[in-house]
Amino acid sequence: MDFTTLSHAVQYRDLSWFSLDNNLTSCLSVSHKRTGDTVLHLACRYGRQDLLSLLSTNSGANFEISNFEGKKPLHEAAQYGQFECVRFLLEKGLQVDCLKRADWTPLMLACTKPQKDIIVELLSHGANPALLNKDGWNSFHIAAREGHVEILQELLSCNAELWNTSSNNGRTPLHTAALHGHLSAVRFLLEHCDYTPDSADSCGSTPLMDALRTGFITVADLLIKMHKADASRKDNLGLQAIHHAAQAGQTKAVDFLLTQCSIDADVATPVSGVTPLQIAAKENQEAVLNLLLAHGADINLADSKGRTALHIAAGAQHAASVRLLLTSGATEKADLSGQFARDLATREPVILAFGETVT
């Protein structure tokens, strides 16, 4: 018996095929060469509780068996939303908080999908939602990433302090929900959890920065109005939300910050003096360049090394941005090392943008 035959039997054949003594015995010794999946993993993945019952009664199968990723049958059933299989395994007294690779529990996997019935079942059998995986995330953090408000509510009712957690790099569930644009989840977290405004991760990024770098304006607006988030807050490098939005090409986010939050288009980082225009030039974000210039950004403003946006665009070999800046009134001047922007052009399109002829 090969694994393909076994997989087909689990998905499509009735129990009569497994009821044959030879098949029932031999199927337990078959596993996938690459993943280590067994008939028990397959049965849980495809919701074959009837097969689990048959194997339990007649074969003495090991329901705690792990595949090469460390996943046990309970992990599979929880991840794929197979409630009857989850309940069957838990009623057999299997370990509810078993760990797969990277220290993920069945509850964590269940929280990646909106399957409240399975989560309630796992919690009722003692699953610990406060356990942390390798990245420092607990189940509440994972549910926040997915934006499942009912799941967040269920977890919080089980442990009122679950919200007060941060990952290994200092990110809270609020950071994660904001980054992924889950407006309802962000609102729930702000209403039911005591997050500090502008809580920063290990890089100094705030939930507001995360929302704006991914272009979720409604989330950003909620954080400002309901959470008193500061749009001018700086991260560890001195970058504000407008720098991050400019870097990511989030034109609507940049416009929101300029028009709704009164952020200066020329705001510069404290040490390096980098402006949003220079960051947009480095990333070849033409739409952002046009927007910033329309809002009065100084096209010839230099950073602490004397480099203008034109220098930076040329050094990054972005012909489109060089051409846009030149046609918008950028003037050539030497930086503190004596280099002009055209000196940095090495690729033909960029050289041509300066009006040079390639020899």
Side-chain angles (χ1 to χ4, degrees):
M1 182 190 305
D2 59 23
F3 188 83
T4 301
T5 300
L6 177 60
S7 179
H8 187 273
V10 173
Q11 293 181 69
Y12 305 115
R13 298 187 183 182
D14 60 32
L15 291 184
S16 60
W17 187 86
F18 287 96
S19 297
L20 298 173
D21 290 339
N22 186 52
N23 287 341
L24 189 64
T25 303
S26 60
C27 74
L28 292 172
S29 62
V30 177
S31 62
H32 193 281
K33 292 182 179 180
R34 183 175 56 83
T35 66
D37 286 339
T38 68
V39 64
L40 297 172
H41 292 90
L42 292 174
C44 288
R45 186 177 305 160
Y46 295 114
R48 294 297 305 271
Q49 187 271 327
D50 54 349
L51 177 55
L52 293 180
S53 181
L54 178 65
L55 290 166
S56 175
T57 304
N58 298 288
S59 70
N62 175 18
F63 287 93
E64 296 281 16
I65 191 170
S66 299
N67 65 12
F68 297 154
E69 195 181 349
K71 293 175 74 174
K72 296 185 177 182
L74 183 58
H75 284 107
E76 293 286 343
Q79 180 175 358
Y80 289 94
Q82 305 297 354
F83 176 78
E84 294 301 328
C85 292
V86 168
R87 183 166 62 181
F88 175 85
L89 293 170
L90 292 175
E91 288 177 351
K92 286 184 65 66
L94 299 183
Q95 184 183 359
V96 68
D97 282 328
C98 48
L99 301 179
K100 78 171 193 70
R101 184 183 300 170
D103 296 339
W104 280 64
T105 66
L107 180 61
M108 291 175 186
L109 290 173
C111 286
T112 64
K113 296 180 176 64
Q115 41 197 24
K116 183 178 177 180
D117 56 345
I118 290 179
I119 289 168
V120 170
E121 188 74 10
L122 289 164
L123 291 172
S124 70
H125 281 79
N128 183 358
L131 291 178
L132 302 178
N133 66 16
K134 188 178 180 181
D135 295 318
W137 288 31
N138 65 18
S139 295
F140 192 79
H141 211 144
I142 294 165
R145 182 190 68 184
E146 304 302 326
H148 300 151
V149 174
E150 283 193 4
I151 306 305
L152 290 170
Q153 190 171 19
E154 187 65 36
L155 292 169
L156 207 57
S157 67
C158 179
N159 183 336
E161 295 301 314
L162 273 182
W163 66 270
N164 192 16
T165 184
S166 59
S167 63
N168 294 344
N169 59 357
R171 301 181 63 76
T172 67
L174 183 60
H175 279 90
T176 303
L179 178 69
H180 291 275
H182 297 307
L183 182 63
S184 297
V186 169
R187 187 184 300 277
F188 174 85
L189 293 173
L190 294 179
E191 290 175 347
H192 296 87
C193 309
D194 193 22
Y195 289 110
T196 303
D198 301 314
S199 55
D201 66 12
S202 59
C203 295
S205 290
T206 66
L208 179 62
M209 291 177 187
D210 286 344
L212 288 169
R213 71 157 56 91
T214 45
F216 294 111
I217 310 302
T218 54
V219 172
D221 189 55
L222 181 67
L223 287 167
I224 291 171
K225 292 178 178 177
M226 187 174 174
H227 196 46
K228 307 304 179 185
D230 182 3
S232 63
R233 175 88 178 208
K234 300 177 180 65
D235 67 12
N236 295 353
L237 296 177
L239 300 170
Q240 295 187 18
I242 193 169
H243 295 95
H244 290 291
Q247 182 181 44
Q250 297 293 349
T251 310
K252 291 182 179 179
V254 173
D255 185 66
F256 171 81
L257 289 163
L258 293 170
T259 59
Q260 303 300 314
C261 304
S262 301
I263 298 298
D264 185 354
D266 286 328
V267 62
T269 57
V271 177
S272 59
V274 174
T275 67
L277 190 74
Q278 293 162 4
I279 285 183
K282 181 179 180 181
E283 300 300 327
N284 204 31
Q285 302 291 2
E286 295 179 69
V288 175
L289 287 172
N290 277 318
L291 176 63
L292 289 166
L293 292 171
H295 279 273
D298 186 346
I299 198 169
N300 293 311
L301 199 62
D303 65 12
S304 61
K305 295 182 179 181
R307 299 173 303 182
T308 65
L310 187 60
H311 280 94
I312 293 170
Q317 307 307 311
H318 295 317
S321 290
V322 167
R323 191 174 296 108
L324 186 158
L325 291 166
L326 287 171
T327 57
S328 299
T331 58
E332 287 202 74
K333 58 181 180 179
D335 63 16
L336 297 184
S337 70
Q339 283 190 310
F340 288 86
R342 69 176 59 231
D343 298 331
L344 304 174
T346 59
R347 295 180 182 175
E348 180 177 347
V350 187
I351 297 172
L352 292 174
F354 282 100
E356 302 253 346
T357 302
V358 179
T359 59

